[in-house]
Amino acid sequence: MPFRPSLTENDIALLKRRTLVRIVDDDAELRDALQFLLEVEGWRVASYGSAEDFLKSDAPSVPGCVVLDVRMPSLSGLEAQERMNDLGIRLPIVFLTGHGDVDMAVSAMLDGAADFILKPIDNERLLGSIARAAYRSLSDSDGPPPPAEARRRLETLTERETEVAKLLAQKLANREVAERLEIALRTAETHRAAVLRKLGVRRTDEIAALFEAARDAHP
């Protein structure tokens, strides 16, 4: 399961003040309905009728997330995700689709998507996914999480995953991790994927930052 932080009302209020939700969908009626829903809930919203407009006009330095339709003319949602990755835009994506399938969802999640939601949309699930995605984005922009949160994340790892995480924090490659722990390369790769998923990070330097932050946590 992906990392799902437990957010308090104060957390949500902070996210609504400091993040921006981008809606990217060529369906104007749905786009307007989603914008109305989010604004009523207190979120800051920007909407775009195409992925091209979003990529051209958005300010990716502002933390938040992208609610992105999969099937759009010209540049699809999945193609937009690839373009974002190529450009180094790390905003979490909540995909919307009326034509989802397992392979599409798996591909999107492996490329860093925060969630994959089928239409008709469950508003409560969408709001929850947006909150978690915005939290991840704000945490990334602010640096490592508070010490107690860093420690809590690390405690979700198994003993073997903790060993792998410590080696990854030293910038060791998968093959070096496998050699140090005397395990198969494929096993090391599987543990690495589990570590990144459980800790809610995407890079090994973020693992090192979590260990550093956790040292300051009270017992």
Side-chain angles (χ1 to χ4, degrees):
M1 293 289 291
F3 171 65
R4 293 181 179 273
S6 298
L7 300 175
T8 66
E9 290 184 8
N10 287 338
D11 292 330
I12 299 293
L14 176 67
L15 292 173
K16 290 176 179 179
R17 291 196 304 270
R18 298 182 57 187
T19 66
L20 176 68
V21 180
R22 292 85 163 165
I23 302 170
V24 185
D25 199 311
D26 62 310
D27 183 334
E29 185 175 347
L30 177 59
R31 191 171 67 244
D32 290 345
L34 291 176
Q35 181 166 354
F36 177 77
L37 169 68
L38 291 172
E39 288 180 342
V40 166
E41 290 290 326
W43 291 94
R44 297 167 55 210
V45 180
S47 64
Y48 302 94
S50 70
E52 291 92 338
D53 286 346
F54 161 68
L55 292 169
K56 179 176 65 176
S57 304
D58 190 67
S61 60
V62 179
C65 66
V66 185
V67 179
L68 181 60
D69 189 29
V70 169
R71 294 182 184 268
M72 292 183 290
S74 186
L75 195 65
S76 73
L78 294 178
E79 290 169 336
Q81 182 187 34
E82 291 180 6
R83 189 77 59 84
M84 289 171 65
N85 287 338
D86 290 342
L87 295 171
I89 298 174
R90 299 181 58 210
L91 292 169
I93 299 171
V94 176
F95 275 110
L96 304 180
T97 181
H99 310 277
D101 58 51
V102 173
D103 289 342
M104 185 185 296
V106 169
S107 174
M109 298 300 280
L110 287 175
D111 281 340
D115 206 349
F116 198 92
I117 298 177
L118 292 177
K119 300 175 183 177
I121 298 166
D122 181 322
N123 288 346
E124 289 304 314
R125 175 175 173 180
L126 176 63
L127 291 170
S129 294
I130 286 172
R132 290 187 293 270
Y135 175 89
R136 191 173 91 186
S137 177
L138 188 61
S139 296
D140 286 347
S141 67
D142 285 347
E149 172 65 15
R151 182 174 180 177
R152 193 200 67 77
R153 292 195 202 182
L154 290 168
E155 288 175 347
T156 66
L157 302 180
T158 65
E159 184 176 346
R160 175 62 87 184
E161 288 167 353
T162 299
E163 293 175 333
V164 171
K166 288 179 178 178
L167 294 175
L168 292 174
Q170 298 173 34
K171 300 184 179 180
L172 270 63
N174 289 341
R175 188 172 300 280
E176 295 173 303
V177 171
E179 291 172 354
R180 289 280 188 94
L181 298 179
E182 298 182 345
I183 57 178
L185 175 59
R186 180 64 176 171
T187 302
E189 292 171 343
T190 300
H191 284 315
R192 175 194 175 104
V195 166
L196 295 176
R197 184 180 70 253
K198 288 185 176 182
L199 297 183
V201 300
R202 300 178 65 182
R203 306 188 313 273
T204 55
D205 62 318
E206 293 176 282
I207 299 175
L210 281 175
F211 276 114
E212 184 66 28
R215 292 191 187 102
D216 295 329
H218 294 298

